[in-house]
Amino acid sequence: LTLEEVAKKTLIREYYLEQIENNEFKQYDGFINAYIRKYAEVLDMDPEPLVATYKALFREKEENKKSEHSPHTKRFYIVFVALLLVCFFAVIALMHTNKRSNPQSTNNSSETTVLPTEETQKPSENTAQPKSKPEEGKKTTSPVENKMEGINVTVSADELCWVGVTIDGQYSQFFIRKGESKTFKGKQYVKIKFGNATHAFVSVNEKSPVVVSKNKKVLEVTYKP
């Protein structure tokens, strides 16, 4: 019989019939087991020895896999893992020993240098200090009056404008409506991302407000003292 004739009698595809005749089995398959039985019945053969041979083929493969994971292989993996653990703890112990043998490096790293403060630099009240007369025609101002702490940014808009504001690392977002204004105060910086920059106006430290941008709709600006 040709494979084509057997396929018509058994309703099994020729592809599987070729696999059965050539012993081309990658893994146990219940359908192949049923095909072998059907093939034998069509040829008036006892299917049991053939089915048993098919099953025995995969018992041999399972035994080969088990032999690959023999006690010698398992022992090798156990020794390998143990060596890794020993190396790991040896490195930790070595680092700990180095720290204990070099305490000066730790002490030096913790030392801090105390800089003189303004109070220590100030002369005592009993020490007489010469007073310089101010020049005529010039107004004298104290350092406190000249120095403004931080930065104040006031934002207003003539149309609805979205702003994302980061003040010294803290982020928040707002909508500024037409005719409305918001003031943001920071010690180090105020960073603002404008969503409608051509219609937003900014006043820094109470100066006259100016338009943020004449041509860019979206713009991010950082203001510092």
Side-chain angles (χ1 to χ4, degrees):
L1 297 175
T2 63
L3 287 179
E4 184 179 359
E5 292 173 335
V6 176
K8 289 180 180 180
K9 289 177 178 291
T10 60
L11 301 179
I12 300 173
R13 290 172 55 189
E14 295 182 25
Y15 169 77
Y16 294 110
L17 294 174
E18 287 181 355
Q19 280 189 329
I20 293 171
E21 292 192 351
N22 297 326
N23 290 334
E24 295 178 354
F25 309 117
K26 295 181 180 179
Q27 59 184 8
Y28 179 81
D29 191 330
F31 288 102
I32 297 295
N33 188 46
Y35 293 162
I36 292 174
R37 186 180 294 277
K38 183 69 175 179
Y39 197 173
E41 290 173 353
V42 169
L43 299 178
D44 295 326
M45 296 175 63
D46 183 8
E48 296 305 326
L50 300 175
V51 171
T53 303
Y54 175 68
K55 293 181 179 179
L57 175 65
F58 290 97
R59 279 199 298 270
E60 293 177 0
K61 290 186 177 182
E62 289 296 327
E63 291 175 357
N64 291 334
K65 288 182 179 179
K66 290 181 180 179
S67 63
E68 290 177 358
H69 299 284
S70 61
H72 295 288
T73 306
K74 293 181 179 179
R75 192 177 299 113
F76 170 77
Y77 285 119
I78 292 173
V79 173
F80 180 72
V81 173
L83 287 174
L84 285 179
L85 291 174
V86 170
C87 293
F88 175 73
F89 286 112
V91 170
I92 292 178
L94 182 62
M95 293 173 63
H96 184 68
T97 304
N98 289 337
K99 287 183 178 180
R100 293 184 62 184
S101 61
N102 297 322
Q104 293 181 356
S105 60
T106 306
N107 294 334
N108 292 336
S109 61
S110 63
E111 290 180 358
T112 57
T113 303
V114 179
L115 297 177
T117 60
E118 292 181 358
E119 294 180 357
T120 58
Q121 291 179 348
K122 289 181 179 180
S124 61
E125 296 179 356
N126 297 330
T127 305
Q129 295 292 332
K131 296 182 180 180
S132 58
K133 296 182 179 181
E135 297 182 8
E136 296 181 358
K138 291 186 178 181
K139 183 180 179 181
T140 59
T141 57
S142 63
V144 178
E145 295 176 351
N146 289 333
K147 184 178 180 182
M148 178 178 291
E149 291 185 358
I151 183 77
N152 293 345
V153 181
T154 301
V155 181
S156 58
D158 58 6
E159 284 188 7
L160 182 66
C161 179
W162 173 90
V163 290
V165 184
T166 303
I167 303 175
D168 298 333
Q170 297 294 324
Y171 177 80
S172 56
Q173 53 185 351
F174 307 91
F175 276 106
I176 299 178
R177 295 172 177 82
K178 181 179 180 180
E180 186 182 18
S181 65
K182 288 183 179 293
T183 300
F184 308 102
K185 298 180 180 181
K187 292 183 178 180
Q188 298 177 357
Y189 68 91
V190 175
K191 181 167 65 175
I192 303 177
K193 186 173 184 179
F194 299 89
N196 195 4
T198 56
H199 292 276
F201 301 86
V202 170
S203 172
V204 180
N205 291 339
E206 301 180 357
K207 294 182 180 179
S208 300
V210 294
V211 65
V212 177
S213 177
K214 295 182 179 180
N215 50 13
K216 292 184 179 180
K217 284 279 188 180
V218 179
L219 186 66
E220 186 175 67
V221 185
T222 299
Y223 301 94
K224 295 183 179 180

